Amino acid sequence: MLFKQQALLRQKLFVLGSLAIGSLLYLVARVGSLDRLQPLCPIDGRFGPRSQDEIPLRALQFKRGLLHEFRKGNATKEQIRLHNLVQQLPKAIIIGVRKGGTRALLEMLNLHPAVVKASQEIHFFDNDENYAKGIEWYRKKMPFSYPHQITIEKSPAYFITEEVPERIYKMNSSIKLLIIVREPTTRAISDYTQVLEGKERKNKTYYKFEKLAIDPNTCEVNTKYKAVRTSIYTKHLERWLKYFPIEQFHIVDGDRLITEPLPELQLVEKFLNLPPRISQYNLYFNATRGFYCLRFNVVFNKCLAGSKGRIHPEVDTSVITKLRKFFHPFNQKFYQITGRTFNWP
């Protein structure tokens, strides 16, 4: 009796095993045939059409991964050649102004997959020693990029240095130039604050802003003070206009870039003839920092350095009033030349 039960059990196990093997073979054959067929629902379609404002993930992965390795010098010449990468001269330069938001603008534009930024200020055109090294030295300071991408660098000293407009013109007379400005008095105080912090770090003493900004002999605005002189935007711009038409400049509102960056970035995209790719998704407000941070994708986020947004020292209100009155006529002329008006007092 026991022998018959064992034989029956072996027979059932054999049948079940045969069915299992047959099912497995069927699935393998089915998968192989599916690989050869056009899928009924492509992967892109499952999530709907991609928004025009969404940055292609593939481009982002390239920029943050492979290109990063090339910048670190980990790529061979053969790898660079195979990937069709080049070091291009910039097609656009953020020429100023200091403490206007040049770093923030550069980092935000780098959100665009068609933009590749130089990570450091090159100071080629404003530094005689660097300029003497030649244009190829300058090119070698640029990041690797695809030929269709735009390389952008920023050196805010360019805007106020007399020799720079002619030097850039000789390199590329059709280059696009970006100027980011803030309310002139606020910018001057921000300029002072950065220098003050550097002095304090070295345990050095420094004059108060009021003493530097106002001539003690005349009690008038001290135009020899660099922070004041830099804020006379129209004087510097007039020097640039001797070489470049106003159409090659784009003025960015640095104050608005802090509080409402997306509209300003969209204007720059249009000026640079770039397809719109930067969206609100890429910008999120960090309440702790008090600034917008950058979101490249679901993995990679970036905030500006902690040195941004320094607390300004208190400045005598009468000095602020005097400076604003001084800058007013220059501001009006700046509005007239650029065609862009700001709500500066």
Side-chain angles (χ1 to χ4, degrees):
M1 184 69 178
L2 180 61
F3 178 80
K4 288 184 178 180
Q5 288 178 342
Q6 290 176 341
L8 183 61
L9 180 61
R10 283 196 296 270
Q11 186 178 7
K12 288 181 178 180
L13 289 173
F14 176 81
V15 172
L16 289 173
S18 299
L19 288 172
I21 293 171
S23 299
L24 181 60
L25 291 173
Y26 172 80
L27 287 173
V28 171
R30 180 62 175 164
V31 170
S33 64
L34 285 174
D35 286 342
R36 295 188 295 271
L37 295 175
Q38 179 69 25
L40 295 176
C41 180
I43 190 69
D44 289 341
R46 297 178 196 174
F47 298 96
R50 188 170 67 194
S51 166
Q52 290 297 311
D53 290 335
E54 183 183 343
I55 299 175
L57 182 58
R58 182 180 299 175
L60 285 169
Q61 288 172 332
F62 173 80
K63 290 179 68 178
R64 314 306 162 199
L66 180 62
L67 195 55
H68 178 67
E69 292 300 313
F70 290 161
R71 287 186 184 132
K72 292 193 301 183
N74 294 342
T76 64
K77 290 183 179 180
E78 181 64 15
Q79 286 175 315
I80 293 170
R81 185 188 66 80
L82 289 174
H83 286 283
N84 198 30
L85 290 167
V86 290
Q87 287 174 291
Q88 304 183 78
L89 291 173
K91 296 176 183 175
I93 300 179
I94 301 172
I95 59 174
V97 299
R98 173 181 163 93
K99 304 313 299 174
T102 56
R103 173 56 61 182
L105 177 60
L106 183 69
E107 296 295 341
M108 289 177 178
L109 288 178
N110 195 48
L111 286 164
H112 199 292
V115 171
V116 179
K117 69 177 178 70
S119 57
Q120 301 295 325
E121 293 180 9
I122 310 300
H123 289 286
F124 176 64
F125 298 102
D126 66 307
N127 183 298
D128 291 341
E129 185 178 340
N130 286 343
Y131 190 68
K133 295 175 182 177
I135 202 71
E136 281 306 307
W137 178 88
Y138 181 54
R139 188 196 302 273
K140 294 297 182 183
K141 293 293 182 180
M142 295 299 127
F144 286 100
S145 62
Y146 280 133
H148 71 272
Q149 291 177 312
I150 293 178
T151 297
I152 296 181
E153 76 125 320
K154 75 102 175 174
S155 293
Y158 288 169
F159 186 60
I160 64 171
T161 305
E162 291 188 11
E163 298 82 4
V164 171
E166 182 179 5
R167 288 174 175 179
I168 291 182
Y169 180 83
K170 287 179 178 178
M171 179 191 73
N172 182 359
S173 62
S174 61
I175 198 165
K176 295 191 180 275
L177 302 165
L178 293 162
I179 305 172
I180 180 167
V181 294
R182 295 181 67 193
E183 191 277 313
T185 302
T186 303
R187 194 222 64 82
I189 297 172
S190 181
D191 197 329
Y192 166 83
T193 304
Q194 178 171 295
V195 176
L196 175 65
E197 185 182 274
K199 297 286 185 181
E200 290 176 340
R201 200 183 303 121
K202 297 175 182 178
N203 293 319
K204 294 182 178 181
T205 58
Y206 197 51
Y207 293 111
K208 292 187 67 175
F209 176 79
E210 291 88 340
K211 190 170 183 178
L212 294 168
I214 305 298
D215 188 324
N217 297 319
T218 64
C219 292
E220 297 299 326
V221 173
N222 180 16
T223 55
K224 294 181 180 180
Y225 178 39
K226 187 176 180 180
V228 168
R229 203 165 61 246
T230 300
S231 285
I232 309 175
Y233 304 139
T234 186
K235 290 292 186 182
H236 305 294
L237 182 58
E238 285 173 343
R239 184 171 59 252
W240 283 85
L241 291 173
K242 293 177 182 178
Y243 295 91
F244 300 95
I246 194 63
E247 291 77 20
Q248 283 178 231
F249 296 87
H250 178 74
I251 310 301
V252 179
D253 185 341
D255 295 309
R256 191 184 184 201
L257 191 74
I258 295 171
T259 60
E260 196 179 2
L262 183 58
E264 286 299 315
L265 294 173
Q266 289 173 333
L267 289 173
V268 177
E269 282 181 323
K270 186 175 181 181
F271 172 70
L272 296 177
N273 296 320
L274 294 171
R277 289 293 180 271
I278 303 174
S279 72
Q280 196 61 59
Y281 167 81
N282 304 114
L283 303 159
Y284 68 94
F285 187 76
N286 186 313
T288 304
R289 298 289 306 280
F291 284 94
Y292 277 87
C293 293
L294 316 179
R295 181 187 290 116
F296 291 87
N297 53 42
V298 294
V299 176
F300 183 54
N301 297 344
K302 181 177 183 179
C303 289
L304 297 178
S307 61
K308 305 301 177 183
R310 297 179 181 89
I311 298 175
H312 293 179
E314 288 189 16
V315 177
D316 190 295
T317 54
S318 65
V319 172
I320 291 177
T321 301
K322 187 182 285 288
L323 283 168
R324 286 176 172 171
K325 185 178 180 180
F326 168 80
F327 287 127
H328 183 74
F330 296 111
N331 295 342
Q332 295 301 311
K333 192 170 184 180
F334 186 71
Y335 302 160
Q336 184 181 6
I337 293 173
T338 62
R340 183 155 196 188
T341 303
F342 300 96
N343 296 320
W344 296 338

